[in-house]
């Protein structure tokens, strides 16, 4: 786990050493152990790395440079099958001087070119400077576990693991992207490729970009989850393959030369991961959980039950439920507005784990792959969910997951914003292209596919990455092993959500022998805090003052609409928790820019 950064100038104009140093300093928290920069000012290119040392502590310094000095590689992330790949290379006579997974990327690239990406099982954002071709490659892992942002003004490309890494290399920080905020109000996060900043975009998951002088940027998608085709399974064979894949995905994610552990909530996802970890380690698995005094939000008893079952070295702390003093800090690390309150407890449990370990395994991805959220059961309980026409189904599911619908957004905007955003439809622009890829899947899998592409990479993977990196720990996600993702979308939707609305239908049955019936079938509990209640009482004045004093909200939004939502929420005539939370996050984020 690290942070990467760099630039590539079409005019061969060098970036100052001060600019490069500033880029590195901006993401120090992602890699406090080491720094390395490969700078060729005569070519106008540099790639750099801030390193959190996890594998080959002494020999893993980045960048890795080829023997002839013409190829340099940096990465943010881990290649979990690097051991097998290194053995393959050595069998072919390739000399590897370290045990580092980044050297494996370099040697594979020397052998196979950018096609080597398909051989990597891991989470990664990679930059490769190839002076032989005077080209720069940027590549991102299959589903976007690791972030990578770019700003290209037509003359100079800047890239970094977080937007804040770009600012030291720019004369002026980019202005706010109003279209991105328009999409934010729909999704509660900004979907890729947009960001909150004009001209700053994501390298998309499963994609590489090639920069060469005098040519358009070449972009190629090197992996697509929609390539899968659904198959018929008997439960027994499904369960055997599922558990075998998840077990191996967990096993290879235990490769580390530093202490590791797991986040454990006592839910089916994290309990299964911890149960599989216990099979492969000699010492008790270190597990971490935070509890709350309010039983509506406290899962610590379930976590303790799982920890006892697997003989874990379990650490639990009771945290203050009101963590809103951490909200500005959370948004600083996110660089963008997010309306998801669970970032705050995720930061808190990350701080707890960071006192003991450098790596944690998490259950992220299980809900999107196997239909774990209540919203799936609720939507597919509609009597017409399976009989709607395809266009009507796509629109209906999109509407069911939207925060503000188009009419609500239009009413919220001031006339100038409404005019500027006229004709920009979040459904057509951000969601429909993904749904179009998934039409060969059954309808449950279509819904899950959209969330894999938008919710997972846009919000739910941002959470463990930024909150873990804020305190310099690495989060690993066995459910997002590419083999398991492909298996999940070869599995029909009825294996995930039963006709009776049982979520993670076959998953829970398959995991029950490992984790026990109680944990397998317990009711899902969201990892969040009761902001909606606070907005009615102790935080009412704070919220009204925050939103009333926000330059962003006052410039673009109708204050009467916001006040009406707040008044109805306080009166109990409507529950506007999510809408008010999203607007508060937007105001706090914008306030932090000053």
């Amino acid at each position: 786990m690290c942070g990467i950064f760099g630039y590539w100038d079409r005019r061969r104009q060098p970036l100052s050493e001060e600019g490069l140093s500033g880029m590195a300093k901006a993401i120090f928290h992602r890699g406090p152990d080491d720094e390395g920069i490969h700078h060729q000012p005569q070519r106008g290119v540099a790639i750099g790395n801030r390193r959190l040392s996890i594998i080959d502590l002494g020999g893993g310094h980045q960048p890795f440079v080829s023997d002839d000095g013409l190829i340099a590689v940096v990465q943010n992330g881990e290649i979990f099958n690097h051991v097998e790949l290194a053995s393959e290379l050595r069998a072919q006579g390739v000399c590897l001087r370290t045990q580092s997974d980044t050297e494996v990327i370099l040697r594979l690239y020397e052998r196979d070119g950018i096609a080597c990406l398909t051989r990597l099982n891991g989470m990664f954002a990679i930059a490769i400077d190839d002076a032989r071709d005077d080209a720069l490659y940027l590549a991102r892992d299959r589903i976007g576990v690791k972030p990578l942002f770019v700003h290209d003004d037509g003359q100079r490309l800047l890239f970094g693991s977080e937007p804040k890494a770009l600012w030291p290399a720019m004369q002026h920080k980019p202005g706010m992207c109003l279209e991105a905020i328009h999409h934010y109000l729909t999704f509660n996060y900004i979907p890729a490729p947009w960001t909150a900043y004009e001209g700053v975009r994501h390298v998309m998951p499963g994609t590489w970009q090639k920069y060469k002088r005098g040519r358009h940027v070449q972009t190629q998608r090197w992996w697509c989850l929609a390539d899968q085709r659904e198959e018929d399974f008997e439960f027994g064979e499904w369960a055997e393959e599922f558990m075998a894949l998840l077990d191996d995905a967990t096993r290879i994610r235990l490769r580390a030369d530093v202490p590791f552990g797991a986040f454990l909530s006592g839910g089916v996802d994290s309990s299964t991961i911890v149960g599989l970890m216990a099979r492969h380690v000699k010492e008790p698995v270190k597990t971490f959980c935070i509890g709350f005094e309010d039983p509506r939000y406290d899962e610590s008893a379930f976590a303790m039950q799982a920890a006892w079952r697997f003989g874990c070295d379990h650490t639990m702390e009771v945290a203050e439920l009101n963590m809103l003093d951490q909200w500005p800090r959370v948004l600083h690390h996110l660089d963008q507005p997010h309306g998801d309150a669970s970032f705050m407890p995720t930061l808190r449990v990350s701080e707890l784990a960071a006192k003991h370990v450098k790596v944690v395994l998490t259950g992220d991805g299980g809900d999107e792959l196997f239909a774990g959220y209540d919203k799936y059961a609720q939507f597919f309980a509609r009597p017409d969910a399976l009989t709607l026409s395809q266009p009507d189904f796509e629109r209906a599911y999109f509407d069911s997951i939207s925060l503000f619908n188009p009419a609500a957004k239009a009413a919220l905007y001031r006339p100038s914003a409404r005019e500027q955003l006229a004709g920009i439809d979040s459904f057509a622009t951000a969601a429909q292209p993904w749904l179009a890829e998934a039409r060969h899947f059954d309808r449950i899998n279509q819904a899950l596919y959209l969330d894999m592409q938008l919710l997972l990479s846009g919000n739910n993977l941002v959470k463990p990455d930024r909150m873990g990196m804020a305190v310099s720990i690495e989060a690993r996600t066995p459910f997002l092993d590419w083999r398991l993702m492909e298996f999940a979308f070869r599995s029909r939707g009825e294996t995930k959500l039963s006709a009776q609305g049982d979520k993670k239908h076959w998953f829970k049955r398959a995991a029950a022998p490992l984790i026990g019936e109680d944990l397998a079938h317990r009711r899902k509990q969201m990892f969040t805090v009761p902001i909606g209640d606070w907005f009615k009482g102790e935080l009412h004045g704070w919220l009204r003052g925050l939103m009333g004093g926000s330059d962003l909200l006052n410039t673009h939004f109708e204050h009467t609409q916001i006040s009406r939502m707040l008044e109805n929420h306080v009166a109990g005539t409507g529950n506007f928790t999510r809408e008010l939370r999203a607007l508060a996050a937007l105001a706090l984020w914008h306030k932090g820019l000053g």
Side-chain angles (χ1 to χ4, degrees):
M1 179 74 75
C2 309
I4 64 173
F5 58 92
Y7 80 98
W8 187 82
D9 195 289
R10 291 174 174 83
R11 306 155 300 173
R12 295 184 172 84
Q13 294 293 315
L15 180 65
S16 69
E17 295 297 331
E18 180 183 16
L20 274 174
S21 176
M23 295 179 85
K25 191 175 298 183
I27 53 172
F28 177 88
H29 53 281
R30 295 189 72 94
D33 297 331
D34 191 15
E35 177 180 315
I37 300 175
H38 179 78
H39 191 191
Q40 295 199 316
Q42 73 281 6
R43 292 179 51 233
V45 61
I47 61 173
N49 171 271
R50 284 294 327 180
R51 184 178 179 220
L52 181 68
S53 303
I54 303 292
I55 293 173
D56 194 356
L57 306 187
H61 173 79
Q62 298 185 42
F64 273 83
V65 181
S66 61
D67 296 344
D68 60 11
L70 296 178
I71 304 170
V73 176
V74 293
Q75 74 145 332
N76 163 33
E78 304 287 355
I79 309 305
F80 300 117
N81 65 332
H82 73 278
V83 174
E84 292 79 10
L85 292 172
S87 296
E88 175 187 313
L89 288 165
R90 289 190 175 99
Q92 294 174 349
V94 176
C95 177
L96 294 170
R97 298 181 178 86
T98 73
Q99 304 300 314
S100 170
D101 56 337
T102 308
E103 185 182 11
V104 169
I105 298 172
L106 170 65
R107 302 307 175 190
L108 283 174
Y109 177 79
E110 288 180 313
R111 188 187 74 180
D112 301 335
I114 200 63
C116 70
L117 296 173
T118 63
R119 301 297 313 284
L120 306 180
N121 188 345
M123 52 182 194
F124 52 84
I126 298 170
I128 302 173
D129 175 35
D130 190 341
R132 302 171 308 178
D133 196 25
D134 196 20
L136 176 76
Y137 282 100
L138 299 178
R140 197 165 171 211
D141 68 57
R142 290 169 175 85
I143 206 64
V145 182
K146 294 292 102 189
L148 186 55
F149 297 89
V150 294
H151 178 273
D152 188 354
D153 63 7
Q155 295 182 326
R156 175 175 287 169
L157 164 79
L158 302 170
F159 67 89
S161 293
E162 297 180 12
K164 64 175 65 69
L166 310 180
W167 312 151
M170 304 176 72
Q171 285 190 333
H172 303 288
K173 191 174 180 178
M176 185 186 74
C177 176
L178 190 58
E179 180 182 355
I181 303 306
H182 181 66
H183 297 317
Y184 168 75
L185 293 174
T186 295
F187 295 104
N188 206 33
Y189 56 89
I190 298 174
W194 295 273
T195 75
Y197 308 96
E198 286 285 356
V200 178
R201 293 290 184 264
H202 296 260
V203 175
M204 293 299 285
T207 298
W208 57 256
Q209 296 179 347
K210 182 179 182 181
Y211 293 82
K212 278 185 66 70
R213 301 176 213 282
R215 299 185 187 180
H216 292 297
V217 179
Q218 182 182 354
T219 300
Q220 183 165 316
R221 195 168 171 190
W222 61 270
W223 183 82
C224 178
L225 185 56
D227 289 343
Q228 305 310 304
R229 294 296 182 270
E230 291 159 340
E231 303 173 12
D232 291 322
F233 287 94
E234 295 293 333
F235 172 72
E237 64 172 325
W238 187 95
E240 183 178 358
E241 184 170 354
F242 167 70
M243 292 302 293
L245 286 172
L246 187 56
D247 180 71
D248 196 60
T250 302
R251 177 186 66 83
I252 63 175
R253 281 162 178 77
L254 298 176
R255 291 170 169 171
D257 297 327
V258 294
F260 58 82
F263 290 158
L264 179 59
S265 68
V268 63
D269 297 337
S270 64
S271 297
T272 302
I273 295 302
V274 168
L276 294 173
M277 291 174 72
R279 291 179 173 179
H280 297 288
V281 296
K282 295 178 181 178
E283 300 295 323
V285 177
K286 296 180 185 295
T287 53
F288 304 94
C289 151
I290 58 170
F292 300 113
E293 290 186 358
D294 188 330
R296 294 176 299 167
Y297 303 94
D298 182 42
E299 295 185 277
S300 61
F302 296 108
M304 186 68 74
Q305 181 181 344
W308 179 85
R309 182 180 182 93
F310 298 114
C312 298
D313 178 3
H314 188 59
T315 301
M316 189 277 284
E317 287 186 1
V318 176
E320 289 291 330
L321 192 56
N322 190 341
M323 301 178 178
L324 291 195
D325 61 328
Q326 293 298 306
W327 210 351
R329 181 185 173 199
V330 164
L331 291 166
H332 165 75
H333 283 285
L334 294 174
D335 284 313
Q336 302 197 92
H338 282 258
D340 184 345
S342 66
F343 279 86
M344 287 176 273
T346 300
L347 176 62
R348 181 67 182 83
V349 74
S350 297
E351 289 178 317
L352 175 63
K355 298 174 184 177
H356 305 272
V357 298
K358 258 186 155 178
V359 174
V360 289
L361 273 63
T362 81
D364 292 292
D367 288 318
E368 293 82 2
L369 287 170
F370 299 104
Y373 297 126
D374 287 341
K375 66 178 181 177
Y376 302 128
Q378 292 164 0
F379 179 82
F380 285 99
R382 289 177 48 152
D384 62 351
L386 302 180
T387 58
L388 287 166
S389 69
Q390 184 64 28
D392 287 346
F393 162 75
E394 292 178 2
R395 186 77 213 199
Y397 181 70
F398 172 81
D399 288 345
S400 77
I401 63 173
S402 295
L403 183 59
F404 288 90
N405 63 35
K409 287 197 290 187
L412 187 62
Y413 295 146
R414 288 185 177 272
S416 58
R418 195 179 306 128
E419 181 181 354
Q420 192 174 339
L421 295 166
I424 301 176
D425 178 18
S426 294
F427 172 68
T429 305
Q432 201 167 35
W434 295 117
L435 287 164
E437 290 185 352
R439 287 173 185 153
H440 60 287
F441 291 135
D442 64 42
R443 292 209 163 161
I444 293 170
N445 276 333
Q446 288 179 46
L448 298 178
Y449 186 82
L450 182 66
D451 284 347
M452 288 291 294
Q453 304 299 338
L454 289 181
L455 175 64
L456 190 64
S457 64
N459 190 81
N460 291 356
L461 289 177
V462 178
K463 195 184 310 175
D465 176 78
R466 302 301 196 286
M467 297 303 94
M469 285 286 86
V471 295
S472 305
I473 63 169
E474 171 177 293
R476 297 177 173 183
T477 52
F479 281 103
L480 298 177
D481 187 294
W482 68 269
R483 299 167 296 173
L484 198 63
M485 289 191 290
E486 291 187 354
F487 171 75
F489 279 84
R490 287 189 284 113
S491 304
R492 299 195 186 278
E494 63 192 22
T495 70
K496 306 170 185 184
L497 181 67
S498 75
Q500 293 73 38
D502 184 34
K503 306 180 298 293
K504 293 183 179 167
H505 182 43
W506 281 10
F507 173 0
K508 293 186 294 188
R509 289 174 61 194
L514 174 68
I515 67 175
E517 295 288 340
D518 289 347
L519 289 174
H521 297 285
R522 59 161 286 213
R523 186 178 182 275
K524 184 175 180 62
Q525 191 168 337
M526 299 303 290
F527 191 45
T528 189
V529 291
I531 289 181
D533 293 344
W534 301 337
F535 286 169
K536 294 180 181 180
E538 60 191 278
L539 292 179
H540 177 75
W542 171 84
L543 179 63
R544 188 175 287 278
L546 170 70
M547 297 199 292
S550 168
D551 290 340
L552 185 157
L553 269 56
N554 288 328
T555 299
H556 297 293
F557 299 151
E558 293 284 2
H559 185 69
T560 54
Q561 289 292 113
I562 298 175
S563 293
R564 189 174 298 119
M565 275 190 287
L566 184 53
E567 289 163 7
N568 289 337
H569 184 77
V570 171
T573 55
N575 183 355
F576 290 97
T577 297
R578 296 180 71 238
E579 292 87 347
L580 292 169
R581 194 174 64 201
L583 291 170
L586 188 58
L588 276 174
W589 165 76
H590 192 257
K591 182 179 179 181
L593 296 181

